[in-house]
Amino acid sequence: MGDILAHESELLGLVKEYLDFAEFEDTLKTFSKECKMKGKPLSKTAGGSLKDSKSLIIQKNLVTAFDNGDQKVFFSLWEEHVPSSIRDHDSLAQKLEFYLHIHFAIYLLKHSIGRPDKEDLDERISYFRTYLETKGAALSQTTEFLPFYALPFVPNPMVHPSFKELFQDSWTPELKLKLEKFLALIFKASNTPKLLTLYKENGQSNKETSQQLHQQLVEAERRSMTYLKRYNKIQADYHNLIGVTAELVDSLEATVSGKMITPEYLQSVCVRLFSDQMRQSLAHSVDFTRPGTASTMLRASLAPGKLKDVPLLPSLDYEKLKKDLILGSDRLKAFLLQALRWRLTTSHPGEQRETVLEAYIGNDLLDCHSHSQRTVLQLLHSKSEVVRQYMARLINAFASLAGGRLYLAQSTKVLRMLEERLKEEDEDIVTRENVLGALQKFSLRRPLQTAMIRDGLIFWLIDILKDPDCLSDYTLEYSVALLMNLCLRSAGKNMCAKVAGLVLKVLSDLLGHENHEIQPYVNGALYSILSIPSIREEARAMGMEDILRCFIKEGNAEMVRQIEFIIKQLNSEELLDGVLESDDDEDEDDEFFCPNPFLVAQ
């Protein structure tokens, strides 16, 4: 009872704050009146009025920037104060942002007296075009917005029938009203009462526990499948052994009757008993006519190898580790990240490595499920280049393992941070190489593929591949492999169709690159995108078949086979097939179906 009385004022204050937030006006009056009658003190929620006034100022500044056509100020405030979770995932916010970009792009055409300043207008149109090619690309499949993708390329939009509604007097006020309603809703939601926050945090904790249990279940199922495969192989070997034994018994009975066993027969029996790896060499290199040869080889092949006793590694204090990674010096952070990576990569494949990875995931080493302001993942944006590099190396090591990819893929947060880091690293350094490597491995998972395509990563890849001689072998190989994986999806092909000429030029140039490791990936990307009729037309116009036939003369048998597939696709008159209609279904498998004769880049 004493504890309740000690916190009574604060608890009553929380109830009052929630009733006020939910607009239970009559209930709030009755509640306040009864508290006063009973002499119960109501604590005031600190910062409530301050938050409200700050929110009103932000809303006012945004609306003022909208009215004045101040594009830079508006989008700076927009990105700072509208949460990224809403901007990136809320369909209403995405549509509103699209129309806001149109508003600022045509602002000078609607509000200038006389002819608008050409330089300023070109800058606005260029800004809008960049938006369409990156973040705005996600809406390119929506019928409502499709006509506006042509806006930057129309000389005089004011007289074009497709854009007539944009220049009506009612369009801007209606858009402003939508903006004001949206801002009022967003900033009201941001002033969440403490009672609701406490409830959500408790629910989030349960959700995280559920996710961890799900992760453990997935790992258990994976191990179960491995053991099942081993069991099936043992069973098949057992059946094979019984069959061979029966034949040998028949042969012994035949010898009693005076029939001879030929060396060829003995060889065929032994080959069936040996492992697949030894069969081919055995058939040509072993003389079965020599007595004792077959039995000696059999005993040697079936002798059990000496099992290496691999101890489990000692456990770590992950709470302290994460604390040091967040609060420690840059030197300490780098050493810890390196040690954690080595612990994973130098562990013995099998139980030891699985145990290390499970411990990392179970303790959420990278804070993938954390909602704190400071997390281990944020080391990707550290001011220290060394820390950024070692963090990227660790994530790349995680992504190299199926369990690690599953852990990192449970939230798009990791993907977004890697994409940001990739685009911020101007030079082709180790950090960018490892980020690129991780993204390429992420592209084996369908949901992450979808996100990368929507984020416009294909445009970034095409841009850096324009000058392949400036790239390291690692960056070149992983960039082309990632591009191919993204081009296997219909959404990726449609993205390429927007810049078909550039994509085809880059890929045709790469066909002749001295790094032959990239050729299967270049061929795979070409084959995939040529399933789009508009890209085929562009390729024919630039004489792609002649270019490809030049490489047939120089290439090896496998290269020739792949190029022949591409030429066949180029000359095809088929429209999009059924595979393209369905290949955007979400699928959690690491190995997704590849609708062309080339393998997915591993």
Side-chain angles (χ1 to χ4, degrees), residues 325 332-345 390-391 393-394:
L325 283 170
L332 176 62
K333 290 174 184 176
F335 280 137
L336 286 175
L337 290 169
Q338 185 183 52
L340 288 165
R341 176 169 55 87
W342 282 352
R343 183 181 174 92
L344 182 61
T345 57
Y390 280 65
M391 185 63 193
R393 285 175 181 267
L394 179 59

Side-chain angles (χ1 to χ4, degrees), residues 98 128-142 145-150 152-153 452-459 462 487 490-504 529 532-536 538:
F98 193 98
F128 181 52
R129 188 188 300 125
T130 303
Y131 166 75
L132 292 178
E133 292 172 353
T134 52
K135 194 175 178 183
L139 295 172
S140 62
Q141 305 303 311
T142 309
F145 298 106
L146 201 55
F148 301 120
Y149 283 82
F153 307 100
M452 284 188 249
I453 293 167
R454 284 177 182 163
D455 293 343
L457 196 57
I458 286 177
F459 298 124
I462 292 297
C487 287
S490 58
K493 296 169 193 176
N494 289 329
M495 201 67 82
C496 288
K498 294 177 184 177
V499 285
L502 178 60
V503 174
L504 289 167
I529 65 173
I532 302 290
S534 61
I535 298 180
R536 286 203 299 268
E538 185 76 30

Side-chain angles (χ1 to χ4, degrees), residues 243-295:
V244 171
T245 305
E247 285 188 29
L248 289 175
V249 170
D250 290 340
S251 302
L252 286 171
E253 289 177 351
T255 57
V256 172
S257 305
K259 292 181 181 178
M260 294 292 291
I261 296 175
T262 63
E264 289 76 20
Y265 172 74
L266 185 60
Q267 179 178 344
S268 69
V269 170
C270 290
V271 166
R272 285 170 62 191
L273 287 170
F274 281 111
S275 62
D276 292 338
Q277 292 88 341
M278 296 181 68
R279 283 178 187 167
Q280 280 190 333
S281 60
L282 213 72
H284 304 289
S285 62
V286 179
D287 182 7
F288 284 94
T289 59
R290 291 173 57 193
T293 300
S295 60

Side-chain angles (χ1 to χ4, degrees), residues 158-196:
M158 296 179 73
V159 297
H160 198 284
S162 298
F163 312 123
K164 186 179 178 182
E165 63 168 318
L166 302 180
F167 295 93
Q168 291 177 355
D169 293 339
S170 60
W171 188 80
T172 302
E174 285 174 4
L175 180 61
K176 181 179 177 180
L177 185 62
K178 288 179 184 177
L179 173 64
E180 288 172 339
K181 286 182 178 178
F182 176 79
L183 293 176
L185 188 66
I186 289 299
F187 286 108
K188 181 184 176 183
S190 66
N191 295 326
T192 308
K194 194 172 180 182
L195 188 63
L196 186 57

